[in-house]
Coordinates of all heavy atoms in Angstrom, one line a residue:
K1 N -14.7 -10.2 28.4 CA -15.5 -9.0 27.9 C -14.6 -7.8 27.8 O -14.7 -7.1 26.8 CB -16.7 -8.7 28.9 CG -17.8 -8.2 28.3 CD -19.0 -8.0 29.2 CE -20.3 -7.6 28.6 NZ -21.4 -7.5 29.5
I2 N -13.8 -7.5 28.8 CA -12.9 -6.3 28.7 C -11.9 -6.5 27.4 O -11.6 -5.6 26.7 CB -12.2 -6.2 30.0 CG1 -13.1 -5.8 31.1 CG2 -11.0 -5.1 29.7 CD1 -12.5 -5.7 32.4
H3 N -11.4 -7.8 27.4 CA -10.4 -8.2 26.2 C -11.2 -7.8 25.0 O -10.4 -7.2 24.0 CB -10.3 -9.7 26.4 CG -9.2 -10.2 25.3 ND1 -8.6 -9.4 24.5 CD2 -8.7 -11.4 25.2 CE1 -7.9 -10.2 23.7 NE2 -7.8 -11.3 24.0
N4 N -12.4 -8.1 24.7 CA -13.1 -7.8 23.4 C -13.2 -6.4 23.2 O -13.1 -5.9 22.1 CB -14.5 -8.5 23.4 CG -14.5 -9.8 23.3 OD1 -13.4 -10.6 22.8 ND2 -15.5 -10.7 23.8
K5 N -13.5 -5.6 24.2 CA -13.5 -4.1 24.2 C -12.2 -3.5 23.7 O -12.2 -2.5 23.0 CB -13.9 -3.5 25.5 CG -15.5 -3.7 25.8 CD -15.8 -3.0 27.1 CE -17.3 -3.2 27.4 NZ -17.7 -2.5 28.7
I6 N -11.1 -4.0 24.3 CA -9.7 -3.6 23.9 C -9.5 -3.8 22.5 O -9.0 -3.0 21.8 CB -8.7 -4.1 24.9 CG1 -8.9 -3.7 26.3 CG2 -7.3 -3.9 24.4 CD1 -8.0 -4.4 27.3
I7 N -9.8 -5.1 22.1 CA -9.6 -5.5 20.7 C -10.3 -4.6 19.7 O -9.8 -4.0 18.7 CB -10.0 -6.9 20.4 CG1 -9.0 -7.9 21.2 CG2 -9.9 -7.3 19.1 CD1 -9.2 -9.3 21.2
T8 N -11.6 -4.3 20.0 CA -12.5 -3.4 19.2 C -11.8 -2.0 19.1 O -11.8 -1.5 18.1 CB -14.0 -3.3 19.9 OG1 -14.4 -4.6 19.9 CG2 -14.8 -2.5 19.1
K9 N -11.3 -1.5 20.2 CA -10.7 -0.2 20.2 C -9.4 -0.2 19.4 O -9.2 0.7 18.6 CB -10.5 0.4 21.6 CG -11.7 0.8 22.3 CD -11.4 1.4 23.6 CE -12.8 1.8 24.3 NZ -12.7 2.7 25.3
I10 N -8.6 -1.3 19.6 CA -7.4 -1.4 18.7 C -7.6 -1.4 17.3 O -7.1 -0.7 16.5 CB -6.6 -2.5 19.2 CG1 -6.0 -2.2 20.7 CG2 -5.4 -2.8 18.2 CD1 -5.3 -3.4 21.3
T11 N -8.6 -2.3 16.9 CA -8.8 -2.6 15.5 C -9.4 -1.4 14.8 O -9.3 -1.2 13.6 CB -9.7 -3.7 15.3 OG1 -11.0 -3.6 16.0 CG2 -9.1 -5.0 15.8
K12 N -10.0 -0.4 15.6 CA -10.5 0.8 15.0 C -9.5 1.7 14.4 O -9.7 2.3 13.4 CB -11.3 1.5 16.1 CG -12.1 2.8 15.6 CD -12.8 3.3 16.9 CE -13.5 4.5 16.4 NZ -14.4 5.2 17.4
F13 N -8.2 1.6 15.0 CA -7.2 2.5 14.6 C -6.2 1.8 13.8 O -5.3 2.3 13.3 CB -6.5 3.0 15.9 CG -7.3 3.9 16.6 CD1 -8.0 3.5 17.8 CD2 -7.6 5.3 16.2 CE1 -8.8 4.4 18.5 CE2 -8.5 6.1 16.9 CZ -9.1 5.6 18.1
V14 N -6.3 0.4 13.6 CA -5.3 -0.4 13.0 C -5.1 0.1 11.4 O -4.0 0.3 11.0 CB -5.7 -1.8 12.9 CG1 -5.0 -2.7 11.9 CG2 -5.5 -2.4 14.3
P15 N -6.2 0.4 10.7 CA -5.9 0.9 9.3 C -5.1 2.1 9.3 O -4.3 2.4 8.3 CB -7.4 1.1 8.7 CG -8.3 0.3 9.6 CD -7.6 0.2 10.9
H16 N -5.3 3.0 10.1 CA -4.5 4.4 10.3 C -3.1 4.2 10.5 O -2.3 4.9 10.2 CB -5.1 5.3 11.2 CG -6.7 5.5 11.0 ND1 -7.1 6.3 10.0 CD2 -7.7 5.2 11.7 CE1 -8.4 6.3 10.1 NE2 -8.8 5.6 11.1
L17 N -2.8 3.0 11.1 CA -1.4 2.7 11.4 C -0.7 1.9 10.2 O 0.5 1.6 10.3 CB -1.2 1.8 12.6 CG -1.7 2.5 13.9 CD1 -1.8 1.5 15.1 CD2 -1.0 3.7 14.2
G18 N -1.5 1.5 9.1 CA -0.9 0.8 8.1 C -0.7 -0.7 8.3 O -0.1 -1.4 7.7
I19 N -1.5 -1.1 9.4 CA -1.5 -2.6 9.6 C -2.9 -3.2 9.1 O -3.9 -2.6 9.4 CB -1.4 -2.7 11.2 CG1 -0.1 -2.2 11.7 CG2 -1.5 -4.4 11.6 CD1 0.1 -2.1 13.2
K20 N -2.7 -4.4 8.6 CA -3.8 -5.1 8.1 C -4.5 -5.7 9.4 O -3.8 -6.2 10.3 CB -3.5 -6.2 7.2 CG -3.0 -5.7 5.9 CD -2.8 -6.8 4.9 CE -2.3 -6.3 3.5 NZ -1.9 -7.3 2.7
Y21 N -5.8 -5.7 9.5 CA -6.6 -6.2 10.6 C -6.3 -7.7 10.8 O -6.2 -8.3 11.9 CB -8.1 -6.0 10.5 CG -8.8 -6.7 11.5 CD1 -9.0 -6.3 12.7 CD2 -9.4 -7.9 11.3 CE1 -9.6 -7.0 13.8 CE2 -10.2 -8.7 12.1 CZ -10.2 -8.1 13.4 OH -10.9 -8.8 14.4
D22 N -6.2 -8.5 9.6 CA -5.9 -10.0 9.6 C -4.8 -10.2 10.4 O -4.6 -11.2 11.2 CB -5.9 -10.5 8.1 CG -7.3 -10.5 7.5 OD1 -8.3 -10.3 8.2 OD2 -7.3 -10.6 6.3
E23 N -3.6 -9.4 10.2 CA -2.3 -9.6 10.9 C -2.4 -9.5 12.4 O -1.9 -10.2 13.2 CB -1.3 -8.8 10.3 CG -0.9 -9.2 8.8 CD -0.2 -8.1 8.0 OE1 0.0 -6.9 8.6 OE2 0.3 -8.4 6.9
L24 N -3.1 -8.4 12.7 CA -3.2 -8.1 14.1 C -4.1 -9.2 14.9 O -3.8 -9.6 15.8 CB -3.9 -6.7 14.3 CG -4.0 -6.2 15.8 CD1 -2.8 -6.2 16.5 CD2 -4.9 -5.0 15.9
A25 N -5.1 -9.5 14.2 CA -6.1 -10.6 14.7 C -5.3 -11.9 14.9 O -5.4 -12.6 15.8 CB -7.2 -10.8 13.9
A26 N -4.4 -12.2 13.9 CA -3.6 -13.5 14.0 C -2.7 -13.4 15.1 O -2.5 -14.5 15.9 CB -2.9 -13.7 12.6
K27 N -2.0 -12.3 15.3 CA -1.1 -12.1 16.4 C -1.8 -12.3 17.8 O -1.4 -12.9 18.7 CB -0.4 -10.8 16.3 CG 0.7 -10.8 17.5 CD 1.4 -9.4 17.4 CE 2.4 -9.4 18.7 NZ 1.8 -9.7 19.9
I28 N -2.9 -11.7 17.8 CA -3.8 -11.8 19.1 C -4.1 -13.2 19.5 O -3.9 -13.8 20.5 CB -5.0 -10.9 19.1 CG1 -4.6 -9.4 19.1 CG2 -6.0 -11.2 20.2 CD1 -5.6 -8.5 18.7
D29 N -4.6 -14.0 18.4 CA -4.9 -15.4 18.5 C -3.7 -16.3 18.8 O -3.8 -17.1 19.7 CB -5.6 -16.0 17.2 CG -7.0 -15.4 17.0 OD1 -7.6 -14.9 18.0 OD2 -7.5 -15.5 15.9
L30 N -2.6 -16.0 18.2 CA -1.4 -16.8 18.4 C -0.9 -16.5 19.9 O -0.4 -17.5 20.5 CB -0.3 -16.5 17.4 CG -0.6 -17.0 16.0 CD1 0.2 -16.4 14.9 CD2 -0.6 -18.6 16.0
D31 N -0.9 -15.2 20.3 CA -0.5 -14.9 21.6 C -1.4 -15.7 22.7 O -0.9 -16.2 23.7 CB -0.8 -13.4 22.0 CG 0.3 -12.5 21.4 OD1 1.4 -13.0 20.8 OD2 0.0 -11.3 21.2
K32 N -2.7 -15.7 22.4 CA -3.6 -16.4 23.3 C -3.2 -18.0 23.4 O -3.2 -18.6 24.4 CB -5.0 -16.2 22.9 CG -6.1 -16.8 23.9 CD -6.1 -15.9 25.1 CE -7.1 -16.1 26.0 NZ -6.9 -15.6 27.3
S33 N -3.0 -18.6 22.1 CA -2.5 -19.9 22.0 C -1.3 -20.3 22.9 O -1.3 -21.3 23.6 CB -2.4 -20.3 20.5 OG -1.9 -21.5 20.4
L34 N -0.4 -19.3 22.8 CA 0.9 -19.5 23.5 C 0.8 -19.4 25.0 O 1.6 -19.7 25.7 CB 2.0 -18.8 22.8 CG 2.4 -19.2 21.4 CD1 3.0 -18.0 20.7 CD2 3.3 -20.4 21.6
E35 N -0.3 -18.6 25.4 CA -0.4 -18.7 26.8 C -0.9 -20.0 27.4 O -0.5 -20.2 28.5 CB -1.7 -17.7 27.1 CG -1.4 -16.2 27.0 CD -2.6 -15.3 27.3 OE1 -3.6 -15.8 28.1 OE2 -2.7 -14.2 26.8
Y36 N -1.4 -20.8 26.6 CA -1.9 -22.1 26.9 C -0.7 -23.2 26.8 O -0.7 -24.1 27.6 CB -3.2 -22.7 26.3 CG -4.3 -21.8 26.5 CD1 -4.9 -20.9 25.7 CD2 -4.9 -21.9 27.8 CE1 -6.0 -20.2 26.0 CE2 -6.1 -21.3 28.1 CZ -6.6 -20.3 27.2 OH -7.7 -19.6 27.5
D37 N 0.0 -22.9 25.8 CA 1.2 -23.9 25.5 C 2.3 -23.0 24.9 O 2.4 -22.9 23.7 CB 0.7 -24.9 24.6 CG 1.9 -25.9 24.2 OD1 2.8 -25.9 24.8 OD2 1.7 -26.9 23.3
E38 N 3.2 -22.6 25.8 CA 4.4 -21.7 25.4 C 5.3 -22.4 24.6 O 6.3 -21.9 23.9 CB 5.0 -21.0 26.5 CG 5.6 -22.0 27.6 CD 6.2 -21.4 28.7 OE1 5.7 -20.3 29.2 OE2 7.1 -21.9 29.3
N39 N 5.3 -23.8 24.5 CA 6.1 -24.6 23.7 C 5.7 -25.1 22.5 O 6.1 -26.2 21.9 CB 6.7 -25.8 24.6 CG 7.6 -25.2 25.7 OD1 8.4 -24.3 25.6 ND2 7.3 -25.9 26.9
N40 N 4.6 -24.5 22.0 CA 3.9 -24.9 20.7 C 4.8 -24.3 19.5 O 4.7 -23.2 19.1 CB 2.5 -24.3 20.6 CG 1.8 -24.7 19.4 OD1 2.4 -24.9 18.2 ND2 0.5 -24.8 19.5
S41 N 5.7 -25.2 19.0 CA 6.6 -24.6 18.0 C 5.9 -24.1 16.7 O 6.3 -23.2 16.2 CB 7.6 -25.7 17.6 OG 6.9 -26.8 17.1
K42 N 4.9 -24.7 16.3 CA 4.1 -24.2 15.1 C 3.5 -22.7 15.4 O 3.6 -21.9 14.6 CB 2.9 -25.1 14.8 CG 3.4 -26.5 14.2 CD 2.4 -27.3 13.6 CE 2.9 -28.6 13.1 NZ 1.8 -29.5 12.5
A43 N 2.9 -22.5 16.6 CA 2.3 -21.3 16.9 C 3.5 -20.2 17.0 O 3.3 -19.0 16.6 CB 1.6 -21.3 18.3
L44 N 4.6 -20.6 17.6 CA 5.8 -19.7 17.7 C 6.3 -19.4 16.3 O 6.5 -18.2 16.0 CB 6.9 -20.4 18.4 CG 6.7 -20.4 19.9 CD1 7.8 -21.4 20.6 CD2 7.1 -18.9 20.5
S45 N 6.4 -20.2 15.4 CA 6.8 -20.1 14.0 C 5.8 -19.1 13.3 O 6.2 -18.1 12.6 CB 6.9 -21.3 13.3 OG 7.4 -21.2 11.9
K46 N 4.5 -19.3 13.5 CA 3.4 -18.6 12.7 C 3.5 -17.1 13.3 O 3.4 -16.1 12.7 CB 2.2 -19.2 12.9 CG 2.0 -20.4 12.0 CD 0.6 -21.1 12.2 CE 0.7 -22.4 11.4 NZ -0.6 -23.0 11.5
R47 N 3.6 -17.0 14.7 CA 3.6 -15.7 15.3 C 4.8 -15.0 14.9 O 4.7 -13.7 14.6 CB 3.5 -15.8 16.8 CG 3.3 -14.4 17.5 CD 3.2 -14.4 19.0 NE 4.5 -14.9 19.6 CZ 4.6 -15.0 20.9 NH1 3.6 -14.6 21.7 NH2 5.7 -15.2 21.4
G48 N 6.0 -15.6 14.7 CA 7.2 -15.0 14.2 C 7.0 -14.5 12.9 O 7.4 -13.3 12.5
F49 N 6.3 -15.1 12.0 CA 6.0 -14.6 10.6 C 5.1 -13.4 10.7 O 5.3 -12.5 10.0 CB 5.5 -15.8 9.9 CG 5.1 -15.4 8.6 CD1 6.1 -15.1 7.5 CD2 3.8 -15.1 8.1 CE1 5.8 -14.7 6.2 CE2 3.5 -14.8 6.8 CZ 4.6 -14.5 5.9
V50 N 4.1 -13.4 11.5 CA 3.2 -12.3 11.7 C 3.9 -11.2 12.2 O 3.8 -10.0 11.8 CB 2.0 -12.7 12.6 CG1 1.1 -11.4 13.0 CG2 1.0 -13.7 12.0
K51 N 4.8 -11.3 13.3 CA 5.6 -10.3 13.8 C 6.4 -9.7 12.7 O 6.7 -8.4 12.6 CB 6.4 -10.6 14.9 CG 5.6 -10.9 16.2 CD 6.6 -11.4 17.3 CE 5.8 -11.5 18.7 NZ 6.6 -11.9 19.7
Y52 N 7.0 -10.5 11.8 CA 7.8 -10.1 10.7 C 7.0 -9.2 9.9 O 7.4 -8.1 9.4 CB 8.3 -11.3 9.9 CG 9.2 -10.9 8.7 CD1 10.5 -10.7 8.8 CD2 8.5 -10.7 7.5 CE1 11.3 -10.2 7.7 CE2 9.2 -10.4 6.4 CZ 10.6 -10.1 6.4 OH 11.4 -9.8 5.3
K53 N 5.8 -9.6 9.6 CA 4.9 -8.7 8.6 C 4.5 -7.5 9.3 O 4.2 -6.4 8.6 CB 3.7 -9.6 8.3 CG 4.0 -10.7 7.4 CD 2.8 -11.4 6.7 CE 2.2 -10.4 5.9 NZ 1.5 -10.7 4.6
L54 N 4.4 -7.5 10.7 CA 4.2 -6.2 11.4 C 5.4 -5.4 11.6 O 5.4 -4.4 12.4 CB 3.5 -6.6 12.7 CG 2.1 -7.2 12.6 CD1 1.6 -7.8 13.8 CD2 1.1 -6.2 11.9
N55 N 6.5 -5.7 11.0 CA 7.8 -5.0 11.2 C 8.4 -5.1 12.6 O 9.2 -4.3 12.9 CB 7.7 -3.5 10.7 CG 7.3 -3.5 9.3 OD1 7.7 -4.2 8.4 ND2 6.5 -2.5 8.9
D56 N 8.1 -6.1 13.3 CA 8.5 -6.4 14.6 C 9.6 -7.4 14.5 O 9.5 -8.5 14.8 CB 7.5 -6.9 15.6 CG 8.1 -7.2 17.1 OD1 9.2 -6.9 17.2 OD2 7.2 -7.7 17.8
Y57 N 10.7 -7.0 14.0 CA 11.8 -7.9 13.5 C 12.5 -8.6 14.7 O 12.8 -9.8 14.6 CB 12.8 -7.3 12.7 CG 12.2 -6.7 11.5 CD1 12.3 -5.3 11.2 CD2 11.5 -7.6 10.4 CE1 11.6 -4.8 10.1 CE2 10.8 -7.0 9.5 CZ 10.9 -5.6 9.2 OH 10.3 -5.1 8.0
I58 N 12.7 -7.8 15.9 CA 13.3 -8.3 17.0 C 12.4 -9.5 17.7 O 12.8 -10.5 18.0 CB 13.6 -7.3 18.0 CG1 14.7 -6.4 17.5 CG2 14.0 -7.9 19.4 CD1 14.9 -5.2 18.3
G59 N 11.1 -9.1 17.7 CA 10.1 -10.0 18.2 C 10.0 -11.4 17.4 O 10.0 -12.5 17.9
A60 N 10.1 -11.1 16.0 CA 10.1 -12.3 15.1 C 11.4 -13.2 15.3 O 11.3 -14.4 15.4 CB 10.1 -11.8 13.7
V61 N 12.6 -12.6 15.4 CA 13.8 -13.4 15.7 C 13.6 -14.0 16.9 O 14.0 -15.4 17.1 CB 14.9 -12.5 15.7 CG1 16.2 -13.2 16.2 CG2 15.3 -11.9 14.4
D62 N 13.0 -13.6 18.1 CA 12.9 -14.2 19.3 C 12.0 -15.5 19.2 O 12.3 -16.5 19.7 CB 12.3 -13.3 20.4 CG 13.3 -12.1 20.8 OD1 14.5 -12.3 20.7 OD2 12.8 -11.2 21.4
D63 N 10.8 -15.2 18.5 CA 10.0 -16.4 18.3 C 10.6 -17.5 17.4 O 10.4 -18.7 17.8 CB 8.7 -15.9 17.6 CG 7.7 -15.3 18.6 OD1 8.0 -15.3 19.9 OD2 6.7 -14.7 18.2
F64 N 11.4 -17.1 16.4 CA 12.0 -18.2 15.6 C 13.1 -18.8 16.4 O 13.3 -20.1 16.2 CB 12.5 -17.6 14.2 CG 11.5 -17.1 13.4 CD1 11.5 -15.8 12.8 CD2 10.5 -17.9 12.9 CE1 10.6 -15.4 12.0 CE2 9.5 -17.6 12.2 CZ 9.6 -16.3 11.5
N65 N 13.8 -18.0 17.3 CA 14.9 -18.7 18.1 C 14.2 -19.8 18.9 O 14.8 -20.9 19.1 CB 15.5 -17.8 19.0 CG 16.6 -16.9 18.3 OD1 17.1 -17.3 17.2 ND2 16.9 -15.7 18.8
K66 N 13.1 -19.5 19.6 CA 12.4 -20.4 20.5 C 11.9 -21.6 19.7 O 12.0 -22.9 20.1 CB 11.2 -19.8 21.3 CG 10.3 -20.6 22.1 CD 11.1 -20.9 23.5 CE 10.2 -21.7 24.3 NZ 10.3 -21.6 25.7
A67 N 11.3 -21.4 18.5 CA 10.8 -22.4 17.6 C 12.0 -23.4 17.2 O 11.9 -24.6 17.2 CB 10.2 -21.9 16.4
I68 N 13.2 -22.8 16.9 CA 14.4 -23.6 16.5 C 14.8 -24.4 17.8 O 15.2 -25.5 17.6 CB 15.5 -22.6 16.0 CG1 15.1 -22.0 14.7 CG2 16.8 -23.3 16.0 CD1 16.0 -20.9 14.1
E69 N 14.8 -23.8 19.0 CA 15.1 -24.6 20.2 C 14.3 -25.8 20.5 O 14.8 -26.8 20.7 CB 15.0 -23.6 21.3 CG 15.5 -24.1 22.7 CD 15.3 -23.0 23.8 OE1 15.8 -21.9 23.6 OE2 14.5 -23.4 24.7
L70 N 13.0 -25.7 20.1 CA 12.1 -26.7 20.2 C 12.2 -27.9 19.1 O 12.0 -28.9 19.3 CB 10.6 -26.2 20.4 CG 10.3 -25.3 21.6 CD1 9.0 -24.6 21.4 CD2 10.4 -26.2 22.9
L71 N 12.4 -27.2 17.9 CA 12.4 -28.2 16.7 C 13.6 -27.8 15.9 O 13.6 -27.1 14.8 CB 11.2 -28.1 15.9 CG 10.0 -28.8 16.3 CD1 8.8 -28.5 15.3 CD2 10.2 -30.3 16.3
P72 N 14.8 -28.2 16.4 CA 16.0 -27.7 15.6 C 16.2 -28.2 14.2 O 17.0 -27.8 13.5 CB 17.2 -28.3 16.5 CG 16.6 -29.3 17.3 CD 15.1 -29.0 17.5
R73 N 15.5 -29.3 13.8 CA 15.6 -29.8 12.4 C 14.6 -29.2 11.4 O 14.6 -29.4 10.2 CB 15.4 -31.3 12.4 CG 16.5 -32.0 13.1 CD 16.2 -33.4 13.1 NE 17.3 -34.2 13.8 CZ 18.0 -35.1 13.3 NH1 17.9 -35.4 12.1 NH2 19.0 -35.7 14.0
D74 N 13.8 -28.2 11.8 CA 12.9 -27.6 11.0 C 13.5 -26.3 10.3 O 13.8 -25.2 11.0 CB 11.7 -27.0 11.7 CG 10.5 -26.5 10.9 OD1 10.8 -26.1 9.8 OD2 9.4 -26.3 11.4
Q75 N 13.9 -26.5 9.0 CA 14.6 -25.5 8.3 C 13.9 -24.2 8.0 O 14.5 -23.2 7.9 CB 15.1 -26.2 6.9 CG 16.0 -27.3 7.0 CD 16.3 -27.9 5.7 OE1 15.9 -27.4 4.6 NE2 16.9 -29.0 5.6
T76 N 12.6 -24.4 8.0 CA 11.8 -23.1 7.8 C 12.1 -22.0 8.8 O 12.2 -20.8 8.5 CB 10.3 -23.5 7.8 OG1 10.0 -24.5 6.8 CG2 9.4 -22.2 7.4
N77 N 12.2 -22.4 10.1 CA 12.4 -21.5 11.0 C 13.9 -20.8 10.9 O 14.0 -19.6 11.2 CB 12.2 -22.1 12.5 CG 10.9 -22.5 12.8 OD1 9.9 -21.7 12.5 ND2 10.7 -23.6 13.4
Y78 N 14.8 -21.4 10.5 CA 16.2 -20.9 10.2 C 16.0 -19.9 9.0 O 16.6 -18.8 9.1 CB 17.2 -22.0 9.8 CG 17.5 -22.8 11.0 CD1 17.0 -24.1 11.2 CD2 18.5 -22.5 12.0 CE1 17.4 -24.9 12.2 CE2 18.9 -23.3 13.0 CZ 18.2 -24.5 13.1 OH 18.7 -25.3 14.1
N79 N 15.3 -20.3 8.1 CA 15.1 -19.3 6.9 C 14.4 -18.0 7.2 O 14.7 -17.0 7.0 CB 14.4 -20.1 5.7 CG 15.2 -21.2 5.2 OD1 16.3 -21.2 5.2 ND2 14.4 -22.2 4.5
Q80 N 13.3 -18.3 7.9 CA 12.5 -17.1 8.4 C 13.3 -16.1 9.4 O 13.3 -15.0 9.3 CB 11.2 -17.5 9.0 CG 10.2 -18.3 8.2 CD 9.7 -17.4 7.0 OE1 10.0 -16.4 6.9 NE2 8.7 -18.0 6.4
R81 N 14.1 -16.9 10.3 CA 14.9 -16.1 11.2 C 15.9 -15.2 10.5 O 16.2 -14.1 10.8 CB 15.6 -16.9 12.2 CG 16.4 -16.1 13.2 CD 17.1 -17.1 14.3 NE 18.1 -17.9 13.7 CZ 18.8 -18.8 14.4 NH1 18.5 -19.0 15.6 NH2 19.7 -19.5 13.8
G82 N 16.5 -15.8 9.5 CA 17.4 -15.2 8.6 C 16.9 -13.9 7.9 O 17.5 -12.8 7.9
L83 N 15.7 -14.0 7.4 CA 15.1 -12.9 6.7 C 14.8 -11.8 7.8 O 15.0 -10.7 7.5 CB 13.7 -13.4 6.1 CG 13.9 -14.2 4.9 CD1 12.4 -14.8 4.4 CD2 14.5 -13.6 3.8
A84 N 14.4 -12.2 9.1 CA 14.1 -11.2 10.1 C 15.4 -10.5 10.4 O 15.5 -9.3 10.6 CB 13.4 -11.8 11.2
K85 N 16.5 -11.2 10.6 CA 17.8 -10.7 11.0 C 18.3 -9.8 10.0 O 18.8 -8.7 10.2 CB 18.8 -11.8 11.2 CG 18.7 -12.5 12.5 CD 19.8 -13.5 12.8 CE 19.8 -14.1 14.1 NZ 20.8 -15.1 14.3
E86 N 18.1 -10.1 8.6 CA 18.5 -9.3 7.6 C 17.8 -7.9 7.6 O 18.4 -6.8 7.4 CB 18.1 -9.9 6.3 CG 18.6 -9.1 5.0 CD 18.1 -9.9 3.8 OE1 17.0 -10.2 3.5 OE2 19.1 -10.1 2.9
Q87 N 16.6 -7.8 8.1 CA 16.0 -6.5 8.3 C 16.4 -5.7 9.4 O 16.3 -4.5 9.4 CB 14.5 -6.8 8.5 CG 13.7 -7.4 7.4 CD 13.8 -6.5 6.1 OE1 13.6 -5.3 6.2 NE2 14.1 -7.2 5.0
L88 N 17.2 -6.3 10.4 CA 17.8 -5.5 11.5 C 19.0 -4.9 11.1 O 19.5 -4.0 11.9 CB 18.1 -6.6 12.7 CG 16.7 -7.2 13.3 CD1 17.1 -8.1 14.3 CD2 15.9 -6.0 14.0
N89 N 19.7 -5.2 10.0 CA 20.9 -4.6 9.6 C 20.7 -3.4 8.8 O 19.9 -3.1 8.2 CB 21.8 -5.7 8.7 CG 22.1 -6.8 9.6 OD1 22.5 -6.7 10.8 ND2 22.2 -7.9 9.1

């Protein structure tokens, strides 16, 4: 119940921060999913992409690194990590 109140308050200010609600909602859902299974490579990859869209490039790189560690043959994570690293320069 408290979690829902916090989300309601956060989403009220999201448009003023230039963040799309869908991106914030996706990140919240992916965070929750990873609480249950921190080694879910798909959730890590998707959260990395959402973090990228939210301009959290360091967080995106961290998520892609973990996803690569879990699935080193998945080229998508390398590509996405490269795009995030490019934004850090």
Side-chain angles (χ1 to χ4, degrees):
K1 207 170 187 180
I2 293 172
H3 182 3
N4 290 340
K5 287 182 182 181
I6 293 169
I7 291 172
T8 301
K9 288 184 180 202
I10 290 171
T11 56
K12 184 177 182 180
F13 295 101
V14 165
H16 303 292
L17 300 173
I19 299 172
K20 293 182 181 177
Y21 173 75
D22 292 344
E23 293 165 353
L24 181 62
K27 183 179 176 309
I28 291 167
D29 287 344
L30 290 163
D31 287 344
K32 192 67 170 170
S33 174
L34 287 161
E35 284 179 23
Y36 294 107
D37 181 7
E38 65 185 25
N39 292 319
N40 182 333
S41 62
K42 287 184 181 181
L44 283 162
S45 182
K46 289 177 182 180
R47 187 176 71 176
F49 180 73
V50 170
K51 286 180 177 181
Y52 177 88
K53 291 192 65 146
L54 293 170
N55 300 325
D56 177 8
Y57 304 118
I58 293 171
V61 169
D62 289 343
D63 282 351
F64 292 129
N65 283 339
K66 177 79 180 206
I68 288 167
E69 185 179 304
L70 295 167
L71 280 176
R73 293 181 182 236
D74 186 344
Q75 296 176 7
T76 303
N77 292 317
Y78 290 97
N79 293 336
Q80 298 289 11
R81 182 178 69 179
L83 292 173
K85 282 183 173 182
E86 184 176 55
Q87 295 300 317
L88 294 172
N89 293 327

